[in-house]
Amino acid sequence: MEDLLVNTRRKVLFTLICFFILLSAGKVHVKAAAVDSAVEVFKDCLVYSFDMESIKNDKIVVNWSYRNNYTTDSDYGDYSNPFIDIQGFEIQVCRDKNYPADQVKTYKLNKYVESADGGKYSYKIPVSVLGKNGGKLYGRIRAYGTIKTIEAGYDSGEPTTLQVGDVVYSGYQDLDCWHGYTTYSNFEEEMGRDHCEYVKINKTNFGGMYALIKDGFYYCDPKGKKSYYDKNHDGWLDPAEIKEIYTLNNYSYKKYASGYEMLWGTEMYQCKISDLKGLKYLPFVTSIDLRDYTGTKLDLTDYPHIRTVSMCEFWKSKFQLIAPYAKEIRINSETGGSWKKAKLSSVDVSKCKAVVYLTLGGSYFKPTTMKLPASAKNLRWISVSYGSGKKIDLNKYKKLNLAYFYANKYSECKFNQCTKLNYVYFYCMDNLRSVDLRNAKSLKGADIYCCNNLSSSGLKTVKGTRVTKNQGRWWESTDTWRKLFDDIYKSM
């Protein structure tokens, strides 16, 4: 009898245990769906306004914003996730976009501000992660927290393995550097990058323009405020500085009554330039405006965003410019302040096939041989001064509208096939005796200024062309000229 009672008690106890187990399982079942759903919402709630474009005090400054959008309907006014206690953020940076484990640097910010409008955060990463010379750095960030409760009020879904205190993470938000920046030059280019690039200012990275990038400036406003390449003078070019550099310029400025102005006809300049090594780090540069270049060649084949090239005061006798995308090119042996020191005897722009406006200038003391573009289908304006040689042939430039000649040695100017020519100017062209422009059906005006051997009768033009002598470029004050000028510049 006693054994029967014991067995009965065991059966009842076993039944009760099973009941409570099932009941408990039901409660876990109740909790599971809500918790898992909350975790999934948390994973999809990403960081925004994430940037790391600036270096300050040898630290890469990381900025971002975050709002825990658990409730998708803002009318409820409650954005907090009731199941997750958000602790802070995890930042990862790496030189390799694939984030190999042995190369990743991980940093944590144990801070979270609950706000319906989104909290703003900042973190500073040691610049040492960039190495000696800098380079590309990829970044990503995510929020993390712990499960703070598994209580819920409905019964659905599968059981969860999560427990109170378990760590959970949101999804990663990847870096998007220069988001929304577009440069307009010869084409439209989206400037967004999936990385930031930080460049140490040294001779390894910048070669012959190291001194300019280190201490120089690219602009000075009329009040004397200078725009330095290295804006904060910390020895680095960070993405925030790089996106503001739109030109390479080594001219000096001087204060006049009207304010600070660039110095042209003097020998004052910031520093000499021997090459443009490091130009690849400056993707927002669209113009090059340099003097005192000591190299013999400049190749811009890899820079389609360079629209304008203006250079003068050369230290070598020969110079070749390869700028297949540039629309506006000015090459001058000197600027007026160093005539007797001019060294340039030959210039080659034969590979500048996209040029629309071209100015080539030698010196009174050193006439220059000029190798013109082999193919420039869109050349519309050419100005040549102090050129040496017997002749100049412009017949291949079918769209040419304007041609200016200043004190060249040429005895022959061939452009009888330039049918769209509108105006032509001859200044001190003493070796020139005659020019045939009868095929230039659009020619409206020409002036012969102080040319000893070229008379009005030696200039053969179509009927109706206004030919003047010693009146200068009179057409530049006409409405027709202004419209032509605007049209040419719009085409660049």
Side-chain angles (χ1 to χ4, degrees), residues 339-360:
W339 292 328
K340 294 183 179 181
K341 293 184 178 181
K343 296 178 175 63
L344 194 64
S345 60
S346 69
V347 60
D348 181 354
V349 293
S350 60
K351 295 185 179 180
C352 300
K353 60 183 180 180
V355 63
V356 175
Y357 174 96
L358 177 62
T359 292
L360 299 176

Side-chain angles (χ1 to χ4, degrees), residues 336-386:
S338 57
W339 292 328
K340 294 183 179 181
K341 293 184 178 181
K343 296 178 175 63
L344 194 64
S345 60
S346 69
V347 60
D348 181 354
V349 293
S350 60
K351 295 185 179 180
C352 300
K353 60 183 180 180
V355 63
V356 175
Y357 174 96
L358 177 62
T359 292
L360 299 176
S363 169
Y364 175 82
F365 294 97
K366 190 78 172 181
T368 304
T369 60
M370 300 170 183
K371 194 172 183 180
L372 300 178
S375 175
K377 296 179 180 180
N378 296 313
L379 182 61
R380 299 183 63 182
W381 186 334
I382 189 169
S383 176
V384 181
S385 60
Y386 298 109

Side-chain angles (χ1 to χ4, degrees), residues 247-272:
T247 182
L248 278 179
N249 187 313
N250 68 335
Y251 278 79
S252 292
Y253 286 72
K254 183 178 179 180
K255 186 176 182 180
Y256 294 92
S258 58
Y260 282 83
E261 296 181 11
M262 186 185 294
L263 292 172
W264 294 92
T266 74
E267 295 183 29
M268 295 179 64
Y269 53 90
Q270 293 185 58
C271 61
K272 296 177 183 176

